[in-house]
Structure formats: structure tokens, C-alpha cells
Amino acid sequence: MSLFHKPEVRIRGERRGDVAAREQLLDAAFGADRFAKSSERLREGRSPASGLAFVASDGDRIIGTIRLWSITAGPNRPCLLLGPLAVTSDAQSQGIGGALMEHALRKAAFRRYSAIILVGDIGYYRRFGFSSENTAALQMPGPFERERLLACELVPGALKGARGLIAVNAPPRSRLSGIMDGMDYSAPAIPSMA
């Protein structure tokens, strides 16, 4: 997808070869303390939700990034965590961040997600449909600024009554893992011959 008057700027899915450039961009945008944020607890050691990591590129250069992660907004309420969103300093104020946001929201809706949560500035994210209206009873897994916890419902009512801890959306447990959880590992597996 081309952006406005800069046909060389494109939004596309993130590729493995983009990792180093993405990390440099995020370091420049957020500094080393980006790993200390509560949102990072929901991202560390994981991959973004399938098909929901994007970059803006100007030729071969990565100038923007956005990623979405599978989480739950309290028990049994799957949704996405958006972030981080970043654009290189020399490409800011050109609509690239907004185009990345709109692209990510469209793709999340297409994949039938019902809501997206983020920690960010309401002054920026309000125009994309984010508010704190449905986040008052939700908690991040660590310190956060309550007024910056925002959500956007892609399906009306998706977060109505949402409460509790925002957590990693773990895959459903298999029958075998349930059986294994019930086993007594303190007893020897083979009777002793002594």
C-alpha cells in the first residue's frame, strides 16, 4: 500500500530480515528502558499474533513498525495488545504512524479479533477509536499509568464488563497435559527389585 505523496513508502508484513532494523528503530524511539515497561511483560519471549506484525519501508530502509500480540483482557476475553508503534525521527509527521495504525486495525478486524488494548497517549490514539472507557477494571502485570491504558473495540461490546489482569493468551491445554498434571511424580516409575 502506498502512502500519500511518497510512493516509495510501503506498509508490508514484517520479515525475519527486518529484525535488526526494527530493534534499532525501537531503541532510538524508546531507549533502553523500553524493556522495563509492563507491556513488555506481555511480549517477552513471544512472537506477535500471526500475520499482525508490520513495517513501513522507504525503499530498503525500515522507517516504521507496529506489532500486535495475543492477550486476554481478564479471564476468557481474548484480544490483542498493540505495540510498540514507532517511526524514525526523520519520517515523523508524514502520516506514517497513522497509516500503520489503520493498516493494523484493518488486519486485526479481518482476522476477527474483537478488541485491541494499548498503553499510550489518548491525544494520539483517540482518532483511531481508542479510549479508557472499557479499561477501568483491567490491570497490567506491573506498574502502569491508569489514564494511558486504552482500548478499541472492533466488535461493539467486546470489552463490556472486562475486568481483571491483562495476561498472555495461553493456548488451550491438551488432554495429555491435564493427565500429566494429575500424576504423582514422587513415586518411582518402576518398582524396585531390592
Side-chain angles (χ1 to χ4, degrees):
M1 155 160 95
S2 293
L3 297 176
F4 317 118
H5 61 284
K6 293 193 71 162
E8 64 276 8
V9 175
R10 301 189 58 77
I11 295 177
R12 61 169 173 79
E14 183 180 280
R15 301 176 189 148
R16 284 187 192 156
D18 298 331
V19 173
R22 181 198 68 227
E23 289 302 306
Q24 286 177 338
L25 169 57
L26 293 173
D27 285 345
F30 298 108
D33 69 336
R34 71 183 173 106
F35 295 108
K37 297 179 185 261
S38 293
S39 295
E40 186 62 25
R41 303 296 70 79
L42 298 167
R43 295 189 289 256
E44 63 191 354
R46 303 176 58 220
S47 295
S50 179
L52 294 175
F54 308 102
V55 296
S57 62
D58 185 355
D60 291 336
R61 182 174 165 243
I62 302 300
I63 59 171
T65 180
I66 190 168
R67 303 171 103 202
L68 297 116
W69 309 79
S70 294
I71 59 166
T72 59
N76 302 315
R77 205 176 290 262
C79 64
L80 293 168
L81 174 73
L82 186 146
L85 165 66
V87 175
T88 59
S89 59
D90 64 323
Q92 291 179 0
S93 300
Q94 297 178 30
I96 295 167
L100 281 163
M101 281 295 298
E102 290 170 3
H103 186 81
L105 290 170
R106 268 195 318 277
K107 294 295 186 175
F110 178 77
R111 290 183 174 270
R112 300 187 186 271
Y113 282 95
S114 60
I116 300 173
I117 292 175
L118 62 80
V119 178
D121 179 16
I122 187 64
Y124 181 80
Y125 291 104
R126 180 183 293 124
R127 64 183 158 152
F128 304 107
F130 285 84
S131 76
S132 58
E133 182 180 329
N134 292 306
T135 61
L138 292 171
Q139 294 292 321
M140 290 290 287
F144 70 103
E145 297 171 64
R146 165 72 48 208
E147 68 278 3
R148 293 175 54 83
L149 184 60
L150 309 174
C152 174
E153 292 182 324
L154 302 174
V155 174
L159 292 174
K160 184 175 176 153
R163 60 184 332 96
L165 183 66
I166 297 170
V168 170
N169 189 4
R173 296 180 47 79
S174 70
R175 275 185 69 210
L176 178 59
S177 64
I179 293 168
M180 298 297 285
D181 286 346
M183 293 182 75
D184 180 7
Y185 294 105
S186 61
I190 300 174
S192 172
M193 299 300 269

